[in-house]
Amino acid sequence: MRSDKIKKGLERAPHRSLLRALGFSDDEMRAPLIGIANSFNEIIPGHIHLKDIVSAVKAGIRQAGGVPVEFGVIGVCDGLAMNHEGMKYSLPSRDIIADSVEIMAKAHAFDGLVLVASCDKIVPGMLMSAFRLNIPAILIAGGPMLTGEFRGKKVNLISTFEAIGKVKKGEMTEEELAELEACACPTCGSCAGMFTANSMNCLTEALGLALPGNGTIPAVYSDRIRLAKETGKTIVNLVKKNLTPRKIVTEKSFRNAIAVDMALGCSTNTVLHLLAISKEAKIPLDLKVFDEISRKTPILAKLIPSGPHSVAELHQAGGIPAVMKELSKLGLIYEDCLTVSGKTIGEIISKAVNRNPEVLRTAENPYSHEGGIAILYGNLAPEGAVVKTSAVVPEMLRHKGPARVFNSEEEAYTAILSGAIRPGDVVVIRYEGPKGGPGMREMLSPTSAIIGMGLGSSVALITDGRFSGGTQGACIGHVSPEAEEGGPIALVEEGDIIEINIPERRLHLHVSEEELERRRKKWKPPKKKLEGLLKKYHALVKSGSTGAVLE
């Protein structure tokens, strides 16, 4: 066992002495040492209940003959960090989380890891560490939040973001907004739609690094506690068999996850994170793979924000196994892929049942024959840009309009809420990329304002930043190269005509190459005074097209 490095032999007497100070018995000295990375804190609704999940994980580990040792990991709530400087720290936290888990596991010679998380950058950060360390590991999420109810309608966090625009437009009173905000997030858990947190938890299940149900069992269900106990038992079994992430997950596993991603219309952040995770897994993956799989994968569900159904409803319909079973009918799932359960994907989905074809459509009756994310290229994005097609209304799949240029999220948000943006406009927000932010902020506030102001079917938004999984509309992000590195988005001027053609995967700036070259010679990046973490991040981070990895 790896933990023998700190437990066995004459030279390890000092190490054993320290373990005995923790109360370790002789039997525990001989048992597998399982680290539990717990991202519990008291500021994220998706993490406030993780102590209960960890308690259940510990029970499962002990039942299987292992010794659980818990340690803490940071986490940022993207909702609370939104639309201010705090969002600059969200994406950088992904790499700090990966580094933290690596440090704890290496320093203390854990035999295996249970990764307990729920939200946004925390799940991918932990998965990055699992592949980097390549010791037996399994992830369990805290589970999705339930939807709220406001005057007979299902509501969620995004409902409150969009309501701000409705108040500004006079379609809702501030008193009504206060009533809405009080009921939009009624339970603990990761926000109720197929936003980034739930997207990544579903894809972890599809990858094979979490047990069935991980992505969809609601946070408040007792099934989540039972799943945590089973997760604890499973990690001990993985240690005994020395089954590590790189032995379980292959390129086919990633393709399975991307197919599920496309079928469910997951967050565009999944592209960013799967690229970063695959790098740690040493499995080549690029933007073209996402588009290739998207073109042949049907959309089978319209989940919040793209449609009316919650992640809890997807669970009741059969969850990720049912999704994969529908996709397998079309030959889109590699059923021989192994999972942490010890079963193959094929064995898991053989017993799956689609219990509600209204929530999860069958392969024969999809919403669309192409998947929920598309990769666009053109003279405005030579290295690619990402759009969530499942959240775009049909009339905006093709759009041409004048650029309205802003050099920060705040400038654009103020303009939208003040009524300065008109139907037909293309809002361009730049210098918000991985380096330019720094931190590649999510643009949920501007995109929600566009929807709230009634412009969702007539205005597009393009940015070198990124979007929340809660974003809807013709919103194109991850434009690469970014403005900070002199990408073409830095050269756009007010009034330039931009053409978006999602079916043809094209993003074109109607400005001649000669004119762009003239502008390029005059361009200089804006000066920023950076300190601390953001200064380091700015120096190390790479393009959004790479997954914003650090090198």
Side-chain angles (χ1 to χ4, degrees), residues 181-500:
E181 74 177 57
C183 64
C185 299
T187 71
C188 62
S190 43
C191 298
M194 192 52 78
F195 312 143
T196 305
N198 290 323
S199 294
M200 286 308 306
N201 290 323
C202 288
L203 298 193
T204 302
E205 189 177 328
L207 268 177
L209 286 184
L211 295 177
N214 176 73
T216 57
I217 297 172
V220 293
Y221 281 19
S222 55
D223 275 354
R224 179 63 58 179
I225 298 299
R226 284 189 280 274
L227 185 72
K229 290 178 181 176
E230 193 60 36
T231 297
K233 293 178 185 176
T234 300
I235 187 59
V236 177
N237 187 47
L238 290 171
V239 168
K240 289 175 180 176
K241 293 181 177 180
N242 195 29
L243 265 179
T244 66
R246 290 189 205 161
K247 290 179 181 177
I248 294 169
V249 176
T250 64
E251 182 184 354
K252 291 179 180 179
S253 308
F254 274 95
R255 285 180 169 269
N256 282 346
I258 295 170
V260 171
D261 190 345
M262 299 306 159
L264 295 179
C266 290
S267 164
T268 51
N269 281 319
T270 58
V271 177
L272 204 67
H273 298 321
L274 287 176
L275 287 171
I277 293 164
S278 71
K279 182 175 183 288
E280 298 289 357
K282 302 187 185 304
I283 294 173
L285 196 63
D286 60 32
L287 287 177
K288 291 177 182 176
V289 175
F290 289 85
D291 205 57
E292 170 211 325
I293 294 173
S294 179
R295 286 183 181 274
K296 60 187 179 184
T297 305
I299 297 175
L300 300 181
K302 287 283 188 178
L303 302 167
I304 299 167
S306 303
H309 303 299
S310 67
V311 179
E313 288 174 283
L314 177 63
H315 176 66
Q316 290 153 6
I320 300 306
V323 175
M324 298 182 84
K325 187 166 188 176
E326 292 292 350
L327 293 175
S328 71
K329 296 177 185 177
L330 303 172
L332 295 172
I333 295 297
Y334 296 94
E335 296 188 26
D336 59 338
C337 289
L338 192 60
T339 72
V340 287
S341 69
K343 298 177 181 177
T344 64
I345 289 291
E347 290 173 313
I348 290 170
I349 68 175
S350 66
K351 297 179 181 178
V353 178
N354 184 347
R355 300 188 189 95
N356 190 345
E358 288 186 16
V359 174
L360 175 61
R361 288 199 176 184
T362 63
E364 298 78 19
N365 181 37
Y367 284 100
S368 166
H369 291 285
E370 288 197 3
I373 292 175
I375 309 300
L376 311 185
Y377 294 93
N379 68 345
L380 193 51
E383 294 176 7
V386 181
V387 61
K388 185 174 180 176
T389 56
S390 59
V392 180
V393 293
E395 55 265 41
M396 290 299 290
L397 291 172
R398 292 178 175 86
H399 181 76
K400 184 188 288 187
R404 304 298 309 280
V405 182
F406 303 94
N407 288 338
S408 73
E409 176 190 0
E410 289 84 355
E411 289 177 21
Y413 187 55
T414 300
I416 296 164
L417 290 180
S418 69
I421 302 302
R422 305 295 183 191
D425 286 348
V426 178
V427 176
V428 176
I429 306 177
R430 62 193 180 191
Y431 298 107
E432 290 286 8
K435 280 186 181 293
M440 204 179 186
R441 288 195 286 180
E442 290 183 349
M443 302 291 148
L444 180 58
S445 292
T447 59
S448 297
I450 286 171
I451 298 297
M453 295 291 283
L455 298 169
S457 60
S458 61
V459 169
L461 190 151
I462 296 173
T463 180
D464 52 8
R466 59 196 176 91
F467 299 113
S468 161
T471 289
Q472 57 177 311
C475 300
I476 299 164
H478 308 199
V479 171
S480 300
E482 63 174 290
E484 182 78 4
E485 295 192 313
I489 192 172
L491 309 178
V492 180
E493 294 184 358
E494 189 80 5
D496 286 348
I497 299 300
I498 294 176
E499 183 179 358
I500 300 163

Side-chain angles (χ1 to χ4, degrees), residues 84-102:
H84 62 92
E85 67 175 356
M87 181 49 72
K88 293 184 178 184
Y89 290 85
S90 177
L91 187 56
S93 75
R94 183 185 72 179
D95 295 274
I96 291 173
I97 289 162
D99 292 348
S100 297
V101 176
E102 177 191 357

